[in-house]
Amino acid sequence: MEKSSDCAALPSTSRKDGGKLTKGCEKVYRYTHLVNGVALSLTDDEAERLAEHPRVERVQKSYRVYPSTVHTPDYLNLHKGVWSQFGGPVGAGENMIIGIVDTGIDPTHPSFTTRGQKLYGPLRKYRGRCDVAKEFPRGSCNGKIIGARFFNAAIKKGGFNASIHFASPLDGEGHGTHTASIAAGNYGVPVIMNGANFGKASGVAPRSRIAVYKALYRHIGGFIPDVIAACDQAVADGVDILSLSLGPNSPPSGSSTTFLNVLDIALLNAVKANVLVVQAAGNEGPYPKTVTSFSPWVLSVAAGVDDRTFRNTMVLGNRQIIKGTGIAPPTRGGGLYRLILAQDAVQGRGDPLLSPSECQSPKLYNNLLVRGKILICTYTFDFVYGGSTMQQLVKTAKSLGAAGVTVVVDSDSSGQKFEPVPLAIPVIVLPTSADSNILLSYYNRFTKKDRKGKILTFGATARIGNGQTITYTRSAQRVALFSSRGPNVKDFNFNEADILKPNIMAPGYMIWGAWTPIGTSQAAFAGQRFAMISGTSMATPHVAGLAALLKWKYPTWSPSALVSAMTTTADVADRFGRPLQAQSPSPDGSPLLQTATPFDMGGGALNIHAAMNPGLIFETGYLDYVRFLCSLSTPREVLGATKMSCPRLAGKPTDLNIPSITFANLVKTVYVARTVTNVAAVAEKYTISITNAPDFVVTANPAVFTIGVGRRNKQTIVFTVRATRASQASSFARITFKGSLSHVIRVPVSVVNKRLR
């Protein structure tokens, strides 16, 4: 990136037409904190010529990024555990600032109000401001929302429309409001939708301040110059934690390694400024190499499924019970209602442009036939990728006077994509082909037709149960099917990296959070103040909120210390000692469960209570990260990105002192050193045990050590990792440090390819 401060000062490179390259060029941003450079609007030819200039370190093309709780505070045991250390939720996260780079915020939402709250006074450490507009008036930044900015200089080139995108911090999409409330929304906000009370929502750090940096926009996502400008401003403003529920769809090109792409270098400099960066791992699972958060200085978050289930039942007239799902009320009374298949209710010839089975328009049907009956509709991939919605289905049923709706699936594949949403009328979904066929067989058996197929009588009956009662199973987290998986990649060609991703797992499936009524990305929640959605975007603010609590307790800890405390104390087994599971595809629509690996969940499932007292931590600083880059790239590339010179002996990527050991290629035997620091209040004796893989073995030296009190008391352990069998299948081991005074931390070891020579 060029070092000059404005467009006119850029090097002038001649063009074929005799003009100067930078004459009249449009400067989009001048970065001042995280990246020493500018964002320019250039043609491809101009960019190529600028890259050849000796005073220009690197030119990288812009790319897009995309947006990747009622029960989770209880599920994470916040009430009885961590919050008690802060005097309860009223003090949890006091004076911590979480920067949210997202789609903005709805400042009128009760999750962010200061009414009834302890006064939020000014914070000296925060240097930001509030962008005011007609739709984001003065007072929107109320102390809880400590600052709010928007960045749209780059996206103006990509279809910005002020009437729907808003040139202000106002959230016109919903995603940013949702993530902000998960991280730091007010405690005990009632969640009411369709007249039903679904409990009370709370952020993980409900007393923390929220600093808003809008860089993503509805239907578009965001462009990297805007995102970097937002991160740059957040660090300059003095945030403690930076939460990024966003990322690219694939590894960005333009640099020799993913770790040197312009966003990751900006985030490295955020860490240099002592700001912890938490980023979504991506939603392209369950396939390998789909993680889109790459660098070791960023805490990458996978999504877990918690213990809530949304069960419902349908009782048929022959007393058979079919299990389904759906967050909806029951049919009225205890009686049975006649069933009618949508295709059998079509009047006339229908509409060739509309599928009668999906129930998307009342004009297709004979309302006299449907009124008072349970309408059977079909869930297809049009609901997933097309224009069909459950909301329009409900409108159709209400317009026709149906007593309720049963939704069958046309395949297990489409059923696997269904996620329950709160609905205002009785609805049950049968998400498997097997259960759908049971219902359809019963319907066909008791529906009499003449020889021409005309219905004579509707004899099939049923009633729908109450789906608004949510069941809690007390099961451990499972890796969500959609959550992106490792191994991590080091370049655009998807070559494996020696860095573990993701790093940790947090709840990210069907998470309640604040919403803006004008939000459009989730049709199910249009006009609502709350939404229940899924993604690593939802998991990320859970971790950002915990990080704020952790930093409040340990204000001098570095970002790497915070990461270490969370990842090494994460759960890898359920309460019965069984390994955590990961969802994977199956042919019948119900996800298979397989033992989760570090490539699925990193260190494991977030354990907030254990993270508050880890005992040992692995610390890594800015210079360590620079040496890591030197082990992968040329000294010139590293110098251009970091302004730091590489040492003569750069070492290996696996030398980085992080709480994991990962090999893309293990050849014979390799020695890996790790240094731990005692952060407990007492000296402690530790014993190292290792659960080995079938095709490689890990040993530790020393295997037993005593470490004194204080941050200066460190212990280096040399691990020998030896391949015992050639294999190209990923395999895993686990190193456990068990202290004599109850501290336990774990370090995953992951190897992709093993060779004996």
Side-chain angles (χ1 to χ4, degrees), residues 267-545:
L267 300 182
L268 173 59
N269 286 307
V271 171
K272 183 182 180 182
N274 206 36
V275 176
L276 172 62
V277 180
V278 187
Q279 185 181 21
N283 299 324
E284 301 301 322
Y287 309 105
K289 298 187 183 183
T290 51
V291 170
T292 52
S293 176
F294 310 105
S295 293
W297 47 87
V298 174
L299 180 56
S300 307
V301 187
V305 178
D306 63 20
D307 68 335
R308 291 170 303 156
T309 59
F310 306 92
R311 298 171 180 166
N312 201 356
T313 57
M314 183 178 192
V315 181
L316 305 183
N318 62 1
R319 298 185 180 180
Q320 187 172 6
I321 297 174
I322 304 177
K323 295 179 180 179
T325 186
I327 309 171
T331 45
R332 290 185 179 180
L336 299 173
Y337 294 81
R338 294 190 183 277
L339 296 167
I340 183 168
L341 188 66
Q343 295 92 311
D344 292 337
V346 174
Q347 60 181 351
R349 295 184 177 180
D351 186 332
L353 299 179
L354 294 172
S355 169
S357 66
E358 295 174 359
C359 304
Q360 293 298 292
S361 173
K363 71 180 184 180
L364 291 178
Y365 310 102
N366 184 330
N367 64 340
L368 293 177
L369 280 179
V370 176
R371 185 176 298 135
K373 296 184 179 71
I374 294 175
L375 183 63
I376 302 174
C377 306
T378 304
Y379 188 86
T380 70
F381 271 104
D382 280 343
F383 283 84
V384 182
Y385 302 115
S388 299
T389 68
M390 293 296 291
Q391 287 60 48
Q392 190 56 43
L393 180 150
V394 167
K395 288 179 181 179
T396 297
K398 289 177 72 174
S399 177
L400 296 172
V405 179
T406 296
V407 182
V408 297
V409 296
D410 67 343
S411 70
D412 286 319
S413 297
S414 60
Q416 204 168 38
K417 295 287 186 181
F418 176 75
E419 289 188 359
V421 294
L423 300 171
I425 68 170
V427 177
I428 185 171
V429 178
L430 310 181
T432 68
S433 294
D435 288 330
S436 296
N437 289 334
I438 289 172
L439 175 67
L440 294 174
S441 295
Y442 167 74
Y443 173 80
N444 289 328
R445 190 163 67 251
F446 288 92
T447 302
K448 294 185 178 180
K449 301 180 181 181
D450 63 18
R451 292 181 179 179
K452 295 183 179 180
K454 182 180 178 180
I455 304 293
L456 299 176
T457 59
F458 294 96
T461 58
R463 69 172 182 269
I464 297 172
N466 184 8
Q468 292 178 329
T469 301
I470 298 172
T471 303
Y472 302 100
T473 65
R474 295 188 65 209
S475 63
Q477 273 191 76
R478 304 179 301 281
V479 183
L481 186 69
F482 59 79
S483 188
S484 288
R485 313 296 167 94
N488 190 16
V489 297
K490 65 180 180 181
D491 55 36
F492 189 68
N493 295 320
F494 287 86
N495 290 306
E496 296 95 347
D498 293 330
I499 294 296
L500 178 64
K501 293 292 172 178
N503 300 117
I504 199 165
M505 176 173 66
Y509 178 71
M510 301 192 67
I511 304 297
W512 278 111
W515 197 249
T516 176
I518 61 174
T520 58
S521 68
Q522 299 286 329
F525 302 102
Q528 302 291 344
R529 300 308 304 266
F530 292 91
M532 184 174 62
I533 55 180
S534 302
T536 53
S537 284
M538 286 63 253
T540 299
H542 281 93
V543 177

Side-chain angles (χ1 to χ4, degrees), residues 597-675:
T597 75
F599 288 163
D600 301 322
M601 63 177 183
L606 183 67
N607 184 328
I608 290 181
H609 180 71
M612 287 288 167
N613 185 23
L616 299 175
I617 59 170
F618 297 78
E619 287 207 275
T620 313
Y622 179 74
L623 294 180
D624 300 310
Y625 294 128
V626 172
R627 281 192 289 270
F628 164 77
L629 291 172
C630 292
S631 71
L632 289 165
S633 309
T634 66
R636 180 177 177 179
E637 281 185 297
V638 176
L639 179 65
T642 66
K643 303 299 174 271
M644 299 290 293
S645 298
C646 288
R648 191 170 63 86
L649 297 176
K652 306 182 298 295
T654 51
D655 292 340
L656 191 63
N657 195 52
I658 54 178
S660 61
I661 297 173
T662 307
F663 287 96
N665 294 286
L666 173 64
V667 182
K668 297 191 290 188
T669 300
V670 179
Y671 300 96
V672 180
R674 289 292 184 268
T675 299

Side-chain angles (χ1 to χ4, degrees), residues 44-311:
D44 288 344
D45 179 64
E46 288 171 336
E48 277 185 36
R49 293 179 178 275
L50 187 61
E52 294 170 358
H53 197 282
R55 288 176 56 200
V56 174
E57 299 287 358
R58 178 153 58 102
V59 174
Q60 181 166 342
K61 188 176 182 179
S62 172
Y63 57 88
R64 285 198 189 192
V65 294
Y66 301 88
S68 304
T69 70
V70 170
H71 174 55
T72 46
D74 287 327
Y75 185 70
L76 296 173
N77 199 30
L78 292 175
H79 294 85
K80 298 178 181 178
V82 173
W83 281 352
S84 63
Q85 300 181 33
F86 300 84
V90 294
E94 185 74 69
N95 294 335
M96 291 290 104
I97 304 170
I98 302 175
I100 307 286
V101 179
D102 214 297
T103 63
I105 198 166
D106 179 356
T108 68
H109 199 281
S111 288
F112 313 119
T113 185
T114 57
R115 292 178 184 174
Q117 306 289 324
K118 186 172 66 174
L119 179 67
Y120 284 99
L123 281 184
R124 276 188 177 183
K125 68 179 181 180
Y126 186 70
R127 300 175 290 276
R129 62 182 175 87
C130 194
D131 288 340
V132 175
K134 180 180 178 181
E135 67 273 7
F136 204 85
R138 294 187 185 279
S140 296
C141 295
N142 57 3
K144 174 66 174 180
I145 302 174
I146 196 171
R149 305 291 305 276
F150 76 100
F151 302 85
N152 68 348
I155 209 166
K156 283 182 179 179
K157 306 284 184 184
F160 182 83
N161 182 338
S163 65
I164 62 171
H165 295 136
F166 306 113
S168 75
L170 181 67
D171 186 3
E173 204 267 6
H175 191 268
T177 299
H178 197 273
T179 56
S181 71
I182 294 170
N186 288 332
Y187 172 73
V189 179
V191 178
I192 298 173
M193 187 174 175
N194 298 326
N197 190 329
F198 291 96
K200 294 183 178 181
S202 298
V204 174
R207 187 62 186 170
S208 288
R209 314 292 186 100
I210 298 167
V212 177
Y213 302 90
K214 177 178 173 180
L216 306 182
Y217 295 82
R218 65 160 82 170
H219 306 314
I220 297 176
F223 288 97
I224 208 64
D226 291 330
V227 173
I228 291 175
C231 295
D232 191 70
Q233 191 62 57
V235 172
D237 289 346
V239 303
D240 296 296
I241 310 295
L242 193 56
S243 182
L244 305 178
S245 289
L246 56 85
N249 280 345
S250 62
S253 59
S255 58
S256 64
T257 174
T258 51
F259 312 120
L260 281 172
N261 88 79
V262 65
L263 176 59
D264 283 61
I265 289 301
L267 300 182
L268 173 59
N269 286 307
V271 171
K272 183 182 180 182
N274 206 36
V275 176
L276 172 62
V277 180
V278 187
Q279 185 181 21
N283 299 324
E284 301 301 322
Y287 309 105
K289 298 187 183 183
T290 51
V291 170
T292 52
S293 176
F294 310 105
S295 293
W297 47 87
V298 174
L299 180 56
S300 307
V301 187
V305 178
D306 63 20
D307 68 335
R308 291 170 303 156
T309 59
F310 306 92
R311 298 171 180 166

